[in-house]
PDB file of all heavy atoms in Angstrom:
ATOM      1  N   ASN D 122     -41.484 -45.253 -33.908  1.00  0.00           N
ATOM      2  CA  ASN D 122     -40.174 -45.831 -34.116  1.00  0.00           C
ATOM      3  C   ASN D 122     -39.265 -44.884 -34.894  1.00  0.00           C
ATOM      4  O   ASN D 122     -39.642 -43.761 -35.231  1.00  0.00           O
ATOM      5  CB  ASN D 122     -40.284 -47.199 -34.795  1.00  0.00           C
ATOM      6  CG  ASN D 122     -40.851 -47.125 -36.207  1.00  0.00           C
ATOM      7  OD1 ASN D 122     -40.878 -46.070 -36.843  1.00  0.00           O
ATOM      8  ND2 ASN D 122     -41.297 -48.272 -36.713  1.00  0.00           N
ATOM      9  N   SER D 123     -38.053 -45.369 -35.187  1.00  0.00           N
ATOM     10  CA  SER D 123     -37.063 -44.527 -35.846  1.00  0.00           C
ATOM     11  C   SER D 123     -37.468 -44.128 -37.256  1.00  0.00           C
ATOM     12  O   SER D 123     -36.977 -43.123 -37.781  1.00  0.00           O
ATOM     13  CB  SER D 123     -35.708 -45.242 -35.881  1.00  0.00           C
ATOM     14  OG  SER D 123     -35.792 -46.472 -36.578  1.00  0.00           O
ATOM     15  N   GLY D 124     -38.353 -44.908 -37.871  1.00  0.00           N
ATOM     16  CA  GLY D 124     -38.834 -44.581 -39.198  1.00  0.00           C
ATOM     17  C   GLY D 124     -40.042 -43.672 -39.214  1.00  0.00           C
ATOM     18  O   GLY D 124     -40.533 -43.322 -40.294  1.00  0.00           O
ATOM     19  N   GLY D 125     -40.535 -43.310 -38.042  1.00  0.00           N
ATOM     20  CA  GLY D 125     -41.677 -42.415 -37.956  1.00  0.00           C
ATOM     21  C   GLY D 125     -43.023 -43.104 -37.940  1.00  0.00           C
ATOM     22  O   GLY D 125     -44.058 -42.427 -38.014  1.00  0.00           O
ATOM     23  N   THR D 126     -43.032 -44.421 -37.837  1.00  0.00           N
ATOM     24  CA  THR D 126     -44.279 -45.160 -37.791  1.00  0.00           C
ATOM     25  C   THR D 126     -44.848 -45.146 -36.378  1.00  0.00           C
ATOM     26  O   THR D 126     -44.171 -45.536 -35.432  1.00  0.00           O
ATOM     27  CB  THR D 126     -44.081 -46.608 -38.250  1.00  0.00           C
ATOM     28  OG1 THR D 126     -43.585 -46.614 -39.594  1.00  0.00           O
ATOM     29  CG2 THR D 126     -45.397 -47.369 -38.203  1.00  0.00           C
ATOM     30  N   ALA D 127     -46.079 -44.720 -36.259  1.00  0.00           N
ATOM     31  CA  ALA D 127     -46.731 -44.611 -34.958  1.00  0.00           C
ATOM     32  C   ALA D 127     -47.672 -45.775 -34.717  1.00  0.00           C
ATOM     33  O   ALA D 127     -48.307 -46.288 -35.645  1.00  0.00           O
ATOM     34  CB  ALA D 127     -47.496 -43.298 -34.857  1.00  0.00           C
ATOM     35  N   THR D 128     -47.758 -46.188 -33.471  1.00  0.00           N
ATOM     36  CA  THR D 128     -48.667 -47.230 -33.034  1.00  0.00           C
ATOM     37  C   THR D 128     -49.472 -46.712 -31.858  1.00  0.00           C
ATOM     38  O   THR D 128     -48.920 -46.106 -30.949  1.00  0.00           O
ATOM     39  CB  THR D 128     -47.909 -48.499 -32.625  1.00  0.00           C
ATOM     40  OG1 THR D 128     -47.151 -48.989 -33.737  1.00  0.00           O
ATOM     41  CG2 THR D 128     -48.876 -49.585 -32.171  1.00  0.00           C
ATOM     42  N   TYR D 129     -50.776 -46.952 -31.872  1.00  0.00           N
ATOM     43  CA  TYR D 129     -51.659 -46.464 -30.824  1.00  0.00           C
ATOM     44  C   TYR D 129     -52.464 -47.596 -30.215  1.00  0.00           C
ATOM     45  O   TYR D 129     -52.834 -48.557 -30.894  1.00  0.00           O
ATOM     46  CB  TYR D 129     -52.635 -45.425 -31.370  1.00  0.00           C
ATOM     47  CG  TYR D 129     -51.993 -44.194 -31.935  1.00  0.00           C
ATOM     48  CD1 TYR D 129     -51.688 -44.091 -33.286  1.00  0.00           C
ATOM     49  CD2 TYR D 129     -51.691 -43.108 -31.102  1.00  0.00           C
ATOM     50  CE1 TYR D 129     -51.103 -42.948 -33.797  1.00  0.00           C
ATOM     51  CE2 TYR D 129     -51.104 -41.968 -31.616  1.00  0.00           C
ATOM     52  CZ  TYR D 129     -50.808 -41.890 -32.969  1.00  0.00           C
ATOM     53  OH  TYR D 129     -50.222 -40.751 -33.475  1.00  0.00           O
ATOM     54  N   ALA D 130     -52.743 -47.458 -28.935  1.00  0.00           N
ATOM     55  CA  ALA D 130     -53.694 -48.352 -28.305  1.00  0.00           C
ATOM     56  C   ALA D 130     -55.074 -48.118 -28.898  1.00  0.00           C
ATOM     57  O   ALA D 130     -55.421 -46.997 -29.273  1.00  0.00           O
ATOM     58  CB  ALA D 130     -53.724 -48.120 -26.798  1.00  0.00           C
ATOM     59  N   ASP D 131     -55.867 -49.179 -28.981  1.00  0.00           N
ATOM     60  CA  ASP D 131     -57.201 -49.054 -29.557  1.00  0.00           C
ATOM     61  C   ASP D 131     -58.050 -48.021 -28.825  1.00  0.00           C
ATOM     62  O   ASP D 131     -58.861 -47.327 -29.436  1.00  0.00           O
ATOM     63  CB  ASP D 131     -57.914 -50.407 -29.537  1.00  0.00           C
ATOM     64  CG  ASP D 131     -57.328 -51.394 -30.520  1.00  0.00           C
ATOM     65  OD1 ASP D 131     -56.631 -50.967 -31.460  1.00  0.00           O
ATOM     66  OD2 ASP D 131     -57.578 -52.605 -30.352  1.00  0.00           O
ATOM     67  N   SER D 132     -57.844 -47.901 -27.535  1.00  0.00           N
ATOM     68  CA  SER D 132     -58.658 -47.007 -26.725  1.00  0.00           C
ATOM     69  C   SER D 132     -58.406 -45.528 -27.002  1.00  0.00           C
ATOM     70  O   SER D 132     -59.235 -44.686 -26.653  1.00  0.00           O
ATOM     71  CB  SER D 132     -58.434 -47.289 -25.237  1.00  0.00           C
ATOM     72  OG  SER D 132     -57.072 -47.108 -24.891  1.00  0.00           O
ATOM     73  N   VAL D 133     -57.270 -45.199 -27.622  1.00  0.00           N
ATOM     74  CA  VAL D 133     -56.935 -43.796 -27.874  1.00  0.00           C
ATOM     75  C   VAL D 133     -56.844 -43.465 -29.352  1.00  0.00           C
ATOM     76  O   VAL D 133     -56.696 -42.291 -29.713  1.00  0.00           O
ATOM     77  CB  VAL D 133     -55.623 -43.386 -27.172  1.00  0.00           C
ATOM     78  CG1 VAL D 133     -55.671 -43.735 -25.692  1.00  0.00           C
ATOM     79  CG2 VAL D 133     -54.416 -44.039 -27.845  1.00  0.00           C
ATOM     80  N   LYS D 134     -56.928 -44.458 -30.199  1.00  0.00           N
ATOM     81  CA  LYS D 134     -56.787 -44.253 -31.629  1.00  0.00           C
ATOM     82  C   LYS D 134     -57.854 -43.291 -32.144  1.00  0.00           C
ATOM     83  O   LYS D 134     -59.030 -43.440 -31.852  1.00  0.00           O
ATOM     84  CB  LYS D 134     -56.872 -45.587 -32.362  1.00  0.00           C
ATOM     85  CG  LYS D 134     -56.239 -45.579 -33.736  1.00  0.00           C
ATOM     86  CD  LYS D 134     -56.072 -46.994 -34.270  1.00  0.00           C
ATOM     87  CE  LYS D 134     -55.269 -47.017 -35.549  1.00  0.00           C
ATOM     88  NZ  LYS D 134     -55.037 -48.410 -36.033  1.00  0.00           N
ATOM     89  N   GLY D 135     -57.420 -42.301 -32.910  1.00  0.00           N
ATOM     90  CA  GLY D 135     -58.321 -41.291 -33.420  1.00  0.00           C
ATOM     91  C   GLY D 135     -58.460 -40.081 -32.523  1.00  0.00           C
ATOM     92  O   GLY D 135     -58.980 -39.050 -32.966  1.00  0.00           O
ATOM     93  N   ARG D 136     -58.004 -40.184 -31.290  1.00  0.00           N
ATOM     94  CA  ARG D 136     -58.085 -39.077 -30.341  1.00  0.00           C
ATOM     95  C   ARG D 136     -56.714 -38.522 -29.977  1.00  0.00           C
ATOM     96  O   ARG D 136     -56.581 -37.318 -29.741  1.00  0.00           O
ATOM     97  CB  ARG D 136     -58.790 -39.512 -29.051  1.00  0.00           C
ATOM     98  CG  ARG D 136     -60.227 -39.975 -29.259  1.00  0.00           C
ATOM     99  CD  ARG D 136     -60.917 -40.216 -27.920  1.00  0.00           C
ATOM    100  NE  ARG D 136     -60.293 -41.303 -27.171  1.00  0.00           N
ATOM    101  CZ  ARG D 136     -59.767 -41.165 -25.954  1.00  0.00           C
ATOM    102  NH1 ARG D 136     -59.802 -39.988 -25.338  1.00  0.00           N
ATOM    103  NH2 ARG D 136     -59.238 -42.211 -25.328  1.00  0.00           N
ATOM    104  N   PHE D 137     -55.712 -39.389 -29.922  1.00  0.00           N
ATOM    105  CA  PHE D 137     -54.362 -38.990 -29.539  1.00  0.00           C
ATOM    106  C   PHE D 137     -53.449 -39.001 -30.749  1.00  0.00           C
ATOM    107  O   PHE D 137     -53.617 -39.814 -31.666  1.00  0.00           O
ATOM    108  CB  PHE D 137     -53.777 -39.939 -28.493  1.00  0.00           C
ATOM    109  CG  PHE D 137     -54.438 -39.892 -27.138  1.00  0.00           C
ATOM    110  CD1 PHE D 137     -55.603 -39.167 -26.914  1.00  0.00           C
ATOM    111  CD2 PHE D 137     -53.874 -40.583 -26.077  1.00  0.00           C
ATOM    112  CE1 PHE D 137     -56.203 -39.136 -25.673  1.00  0.00           C
ATOM    113  CE2 PHE D 137     -54.460 -40.556 -24.822  1.00  0.00           C
ATOM    114  CZ  PHE D 137     -55.620 -39.836 -24.615  1.00  0.00           C
ATOM    115  N   THR D 138     -52.458 -38.121 -30.738  1.00  0.00           N
ATOM    116  CA  THR D 138     -51.455 -38.079 -31.790  1.00  0.00           C
ATOM    117  C   THR D 138     -50.076 -37.953 -31.159  1.00  0.00           C
ATOM    118  O   THR D 138     -49.863 -37.085 -30.312  1.00  0.00           O
ATOM    119  CB  THR D 138     -51.682 -36.902 -32.750  1.00  0.00           C
ATOM    120  OG1 THR D 138     -52.989 -36.983 -33.320  1.00  0.00           O
ATOM    121  CG2 THR D 138     -50.657 -36.938 -33.876  1.00  0.00           C
ATOM    122  N   ILE D 139     -49.152 -38.814 -31.577  1.00  0.00           N
ATOM    123  CA  ILE D 139     -47.789 -38.760 -31.072  1.00  0.00           C
ATOM    124  C   ILE D 139     -46.901 -38.098 -32.120  1.00  0.00           C
ATOM    125  O   ILE D 139     -47.064 -38.312 -33.324  1.00  0.00           O
ATOM    126  CB  ILE D 139     -47.266 -40.166 -30.704  1.00  0.00           C
ATOM    127  CG1 ILE D 139     -45.913 -40.071 -29.985  1.00  0.00           C
ATOM    128  CG2 ILE D 139     -47.183 -41.072 -31.920  1.00  0.00           C
ATOM    129  CD1 ILE D 139     -45.460 -41.389 -29.362  1.00  0.00           C
ATOM    130  N   TYR D 140     -45.970 -37.289 -31.644  1.00  0.00           N
ATOM    131  CA  TYR D 140     -45.045 -36.594 -32.525  1.00  0.00           C
ATOM    132  C   TYR D 140     -43.645 -36.680 -31.943  1.00  0.00           C
ATOM    133  O   TYR D 140     -43.456 -36.526 -30.734  1.00  0.00           O
ATOM    134  CB  TYR D 140     -45.437 -35.127 -32.701  1.00  0.00           C
ATOM    135  CG  TYR D 140     -44.406 -34.313 -33.456  1.00  0.00           C
ATOM    136  CD1 TYR D 140     -44.335 -34.376 -34.843  1.00  0.00           C
ATOM    137  CD2 TYR D 140     -43.499 -33.499 -32.785  1.00  0.00           C
ATOM    138  CE1 TYR D 140     -43.382 -33.649 -35.533  1.00  0.00           C
ATOM    139  CE2 TYR D 140     -42.542 -32.770 -33.477  1.00  0.00           C
ATOM    140  CZ  TYR D 140     -42.482 -32.844 -34.851  1.00  0.00           C
ATOM    141  OH  TYR D 140     -41.540 -32.125 -35.542  1.00  0.00           O
ATOM    142  N   ARG D 141     -42.665 -36.916 -32.810  1.00  0.00           N
ATOM    143  CA  ARG D 141     -41.274 -37.006 -32.380  1.00  0.00           C
ATOM    144  C   ARG D 141     -40.404 -36.074 -33.184  1.00  0.00           C
ATOM    145  O   ARG D 141     -40.489 -36.037 -34.412  1.00  0.00           O
ATOM    146  CB  ARG D 141     -40.767 -38.446 -32.533  1.00  0.00           C
ATOM    147  CG  ARG D 141     -39.312 -38.642 -32.121  1.00  0.00           C
ATOM    148  CD  ARG D 141     -38.903 -40.092 -32.279  1.00  0.00           C
ATOM    149  NE  ARG D 141     -37.518 -40.304 -31.874  1.00  0.00           N
ATOM    150  CZ  ARG D 141     -36.913 -41.480 -31.873  1.00  0.00           C
ATOM    151  NH1 ARG D 141     -37.579 -42.573 -32.245  1.00  0.00           N
ATOM    152  NH2 ARG D 141     -35.646 -41.575 -31.492  1.00  0.00           N
ATOM    153  N   ASP D 142     -39.580 -35.327 -32.473  1.00  0.00           N
ATOM    154  CA  ASP D 142     -38.534 -34.529 -33.074  1.00  0.00           C
ATOM    155  C   ASP D 142     -37.236 -35.270 -32.819  1.00  0.00           C
ATOM    156  O   ASP D 142     -36.645 -35.164 -31.744  1.00  0.00           O
ATOM    157  CB  ASP D 142     -38.494 -33.126 -32.480  1.00  0.00           C
ATOM    158  CG  ASP D 142     -37.508 -32.216 -33.187  1.00  0.00           C
ATOM    159  OD1 ASP D 142     -36.531 -32.715 -33.776  1.00  0.00           O
ATOM    160  OD2 ASP D 142     -37.713 -30.987 -33.156  1.00  0.00           O
ATOM    161  N   ARG D 143     -36.791 -36.038 -33.795  1.00  0.00           N
ATOM    162  CA  ARG D 143     -35.643 -36.908 -33.608  1.00  0.00           C
ATOM    163  C   ARG D 143     -34.361 -36.130 -33.324  1.00  0.00           C
ATOM    164  O   ARG D 143     -33.537 -36.546 -32.513  1.00  0.00           O
ATOM    165  CB  ARG D 143     -35.462 -37.797 -34.842  1.00  0.00           C
ATOM    166  CG  ARG D 143     -34.389 -38.850 -34.684  1.00  0.00           C
ATOM    167  CD  ARG D 143     -34.366 -39.806 -35.872  1.00  0.00           C
ATOM    168  NE  ARG D 143     -33.326 -40.816 -35.726  1.00  0.00           N
ATOM    169  CZ  ARG D 143     -33.482 -41.947 -35.069  1.00  0.00           C
ATOM    170  NH1 ARG D 143     -34.643 -42.235 -34.506  1.00  0.00           N
ATOM    171  NH2 ARG D 143     -32.470 -42.809 -34.979  1.00  0.00           N
ATOM    172  N   ALA D 144     -34.185 -35.006 -33.999  1.00  0.00           N
ATOM    173  CA  ALA D 144     -32.964 -34.226 -33.833  1.00  0.00           C
ATOM    174  C   ALA D 144     -32.817 -33.711 -32.408  1.00  0.00           C
ATOM    175  O   ALA D 144     -31.701 -33.581 -31.897  1.00  0.00           O
ATOM    176  CB  ALA D 144     -32.927 -33.067 -34.821  1.00  0.00           C
ATOM    177  N   LYS D 145     -33.928 -33.413 -31.762  1.00  0.00           N
ATOM    178  CA  LYS D 145     -33.895 -32.859 -30.417  1.00  0.00           C
ATOM    179  C   LYS D 145     -34.219 -33.877 -29.334  1.00  0.00           C
ATOM    180  O   LYS D 145     -34.239 -33.537 -28.152  1.00  0.00           O
ATOM    181  CB  LYS D 145     -34.852 -31.674 -30.317  1.00  0.00           C
ATOM    182  CG  LYS D 145     -34.467 -30.511 -31.211  1.00  0.00           C
ATOM    183  CD  LYS D 145     -35.409 -29.338 -31.025  1.00  0.00           C
ATOM    184  CE  LYS D 145     -34.987 -28.153 -31.870  1.00  0.00           C
ATOM    185  NZ  LYS D 145     -35.900 -26.992 -31.686  1.00  0.00           N
ATOM    186  N   ASN D 146     -34.485 -35.117 -29.739  1.00  0.00           N
ATOM    187  CA  ASN D 146     -34.828 -36.176 -28.786  1.00  0.00           C
ATOM    188  C   ASN D 146     -36.009 -35.788 -27.902  1.00  0.00           C
ATOM    189  O   ASN D 146     -35.976 -35.931 -26.677  1.00  0.00           O
ATOM    190  CB  ASN D 146     -33.625 -36.559 -27.926  1.00  0.00           C
ATOM    191  CG  ASN D 146     -32.617 -37.424 -28.661  1.00  0.00           C
ATOM    192  OD1 ASN D 146     -32.933 -38.031 -29.686  1.00  0.00           O
ATOM    193  ND2 ASN D 146     -31.408 -37.496 -28.138  1.00  0.00           N
ATOM    194  N   THR D 147     -37.041 -35.293 -28.541  1.00  0.00           N
ATOM    195  CA  THR D 147     -38.262 -34.970 -27.819  1.00  0.00           C
ATOM    196  C   THR D 147     -39.434 -35.718 -28.433  1.00  0.00           C
ATOM    197  O   THR D 147     -39.439 -36.036 -29.625  1.00  0.00           O
ATOM    198  CB  THR D 147     -38.559 -33.463 -27.836  1.00  0.00           C
ATOM    199  OG1 THR D 147     -38.712 -33.023 -29.191  1.00  0.00           O
ATOM    200  CG2 THR D 147     -37.435 -32.681 -27.173  1.00  0.00           C
TER     201      THR D 147
END
């Protein structure tokens, strides 16, 4: 979300990492 809080599906938690560059919309 806009505050940087990440949510993961249980099946991928601990294996996947999401990253957002807000300034570049990536």
